[in-house]
Amino acid sequence: DEAATEPSYADGPNDVVLSIRYEGGFVPMGFAFVNTPTLLMSGDGRVFEPGMQTLEFPGPLLSPVMVRPISAAGIRKVIRLAGDAGLLAAPPDYSLPGGMMVADAPTTVVTITVGGQTYRHAAEALGLGIGDGTSTPARDNLAAFVEVMTDITAVAGTGEVGEPIPFDPDRYRLQAMEANPADWGEPAPTVVDWPAGTGVVLAEAATCATATAEGVGQVLTAADQLTFFREGDVVYQVFAAGMLPGDAEC
């Protein structure tokens, strides 16, 4: 039995088997807070990926996320690919050669949890130098894995992955920052009252707050990137995202 000889994985709805995300880089703090993985695979057989976004501004406050089912056989194929790439081991040195630094470049982070162990591979400015001799074999290998994983259907097999549908989260995480609408140009923000009964006090959400979809889903879904919220005498800009498997309660 091939499956019996491969690393096991936790199969709960909040267990993350694989995530690929970009961290850091030159982005405002609020946008960093709502940063979501480019790929997340949960142990209960779901794959999460960003949905399509238009260049229209202001766009929706909530960035779209798509979710699709993946079979246990499909998950095992992904794990097998990670093993073949040598990623089920302590990470090698992913530094740029010669101590090179790249200002404001994001870090690609690949995290895999199997067999009760978590392997975190993080490389700054991944992809830089490939083909011109200024990369390294370790960086090239990780970049190749990330590139292959952009097509989860090809990795897992056509019959092992279902069609994507919009993710409808049960809970949201939020961050609220005081804002002065007068500091903004055109188009100007629209200021609305933060409704009672959401379970979130914006004045207490400067770092992070979590709330149920019943409490905040409607108000967040109706808002766009220039919807600001008034609570008492203070106006806040709110950043929010649906909670994914592995996200911790604030």
Side-chain angles (χ1 to χ4, degrees):
D1 184 355
E2 187 177 49
T5 65
E6 295 179 342
S8 61
Y9 61 89
D11 59 1
N14 203 44
D15 293 316
V16 177
V17 179
L18 168 72
S19 74
I20 301 174
R21 66 190 312 145
Y22 298 97
E23 298 180 354
F26 187 67
V27 294
M29 186 167 57
F31 290 96
F33 175 79
V34 297
N35 178 39
T36 57
T38 58
L39 178 73
L40 187 149
M41 186 172 70
S42 61
D44 65 339
R46 291 176 295 164
V47 172
F48 300 82
E49 297 170 290
M52 293 292 294
Q53 298 196 58
T54 68
L55 296 178
E56 180 183 359
F57 182 81
L61 177 64
L62 297 170
S63 297
V65 175
M66 306 299 287
V67 60
R68 61 175 77 180
I70 182 170
S71 68
I75 293 176
R76 289 196 297 272
K77 287 182 181 179
V78 172
I79 294 172
R80 196 176 306 135
L81 179 67
D84 291 343
L87 300 182
L88 305 186
D93 183 4
Y94 289 115
S95 301
L96 286 158
M100 186 188 310
M101 302 291 290
V102 181
D104 302 324
T107 297
T108 303
V109 181
V110 178
T111 307
I112 309 161
T113 301
V114 294
Q117 298 288 324
T118 296
Y119 307 98
R120 185 179 187 272
H121 301 264
E124 180 187 9
L126 188 66
L128 182 69
I130 291 179
D132 67 7
T134 60
S135 184
T136 67
R139 289 172 59 84
D140 292 352
N141 179 66
L142 187 63
F145 178 80
V146 171
E147 175 65 26
V148 168
M149 289 306 302
T150 59
D151 189 348
I152 186 67
T153 302
V155 173
T158 303
E160 309 301 337
V161 182
E163 291 298 315
I165 61 171
F167 174 51
D168 187 15
D170 295 324
R171 295 183 66 77
Y172 291 88
R173 52 191 179 89
L174 301 86
Q175 186 179 76
M177 301 181 182
E178 292 189 22
N180 182 359
D183 293 340
W184 291 69
E186 294 295 334
T190 300
V191 180
V192 300
D193 290 329
W194 182 250
T198 62
V200 173
V201 177
L202 297 183
E204 300 172 357
T207 302
C208 181
T210 51
T212 65
E214 291 79 5
V216 299
Q218 185 172 355
V219 64
L220 296 179
T221 302
D224 65 30
Q225 293 168 313
L226 283 179
T227 302
F228 288 11
F229 297 95
R230 182 185 295 106
E231 183 182 71
D233 297 328
V234 182
V235 173
Y236 296 89
Q237 184 178 14
V238 171
F239 299 88
M243 292 186 67
L244 297 174
D247 284 347
E249 293 280 339
C250 298

